[in-house]
Amino acid sequence: MTQARIPFFQLAPANLQAMIALSGSVKKSSLGIRLVELINLRVSQINGCGVCVDMHWRDLIKQEIEPRHLNAIAGWREAPPSFFSERERAALNWAEAVNALPHKQPSDDDFNLLKTHFSNTEIAELSYAIATIRAWNVINASLHNQIPEVPPPGF
């Protein structure tokens, strides 16, 4: 596949602007941009959204994350403790558990782990972050949005 199935961003500009606004609000949450981008990258990897993987990988590179740490996101459970904090690991675990819906429900153990590192407000913000990136993944992957040869300014 070398092109998107339809020019969906041009066909539904009001929806696009609403999604951009939602993404912006997630990035301004109390979670911090690094954690949001780690979640964005991990969920995008799972969902096979190439354009999102590329975008969030580039965002993390701009934050000067260590390349080995960035490469280890797909296998974060096996990564050394210095690569990801316990808080980041709890968030990555929750992101994977929520992303598995409807095939598997997040367990009480998943939620209890999350509660040890996040307030209720942060859990809500994290859940919005997961839902938002998953929505972008669904749109981009199903309509075959392509990784740009040269990313547009601001992306």
Side-chain angles (χ1 to χ4, degrees):
M1 187 62 56
T2 58
Q3 63 185 7
R5 288 179 163 157
I6 59 173
F8 54 95
F9 290 144
Q10 292 81 20
L11 296 171
N15 301 99
L16 173 63
Q17 291 307 310
M19 287 287 293
I20 290 170
L22 181 57
S23 293
S25 73
V26 165
K27 288 184 178 186
K28 292 177 184 171
S29 73
S30 66
L31 298 172
I33 192 67
R34 175 186 160 102
L35 183 59
V36 170
E37 290 301 341
L38 287 172
I39 296 307
N40 287 344
L41 180 56
R42 183 63 190 125
V43 172
S44 298
Q45 289 172 335
I46 294 167
N47 293 333
C49 182
V51 72
C52 292
V53 167
D54 179 65
M55 179 186 301
H56 300 295
W57 177 88
R58 285 184 287 108
D59 286 345
L60 285 161
I61 288 292
K62 287 178 192 172
Q63 293 179 41
E64 299 181 356
I65 189 171
E66 285 289 324
R68 285 189 69 222
H69 299 192
L70 186 58
N71 287 334
I73 291 172
W76 62 268
R77 286 179 179 84
E78 290 80 33
S82 62
F83 281 28
F84 306 105
S85 70
E86 289 301 315
R87 179 177 164 90
E88 289 170 338
R89 290 172 184 275
L92 288 164
N93 183 72
W94 186 246
E96 290 181 1
V98 170
N99 193 59
L101 287 166
H103 305 290
K104 182 181 175 191
Q105 295 286 322
S107 71
D108 289 341
D109 288 342
D110 294 325
F111 188 73
N112 290 332
L113 174 63
L114 192 65
K115 290 281 291 180
T116 65
H117 297 282
F118 293 90
S119 70
N120 287 344
T121 297
E122 290 170 324
I123 291 170
E125 291 173 338
L126 182 59
S127 298
Y128 276 107
I130 297 162
T132 302
I133 191 57
R134 189 172 177 177
W136 281 113
N137 294 164
V138 167
I139 293 165
N140 284 308
S142 66
L143 296 176
H144 293 177
N145 194 14
Q146 301 295 296
I147 299 170
E149 184 79 30
V150 176
F155 283 91

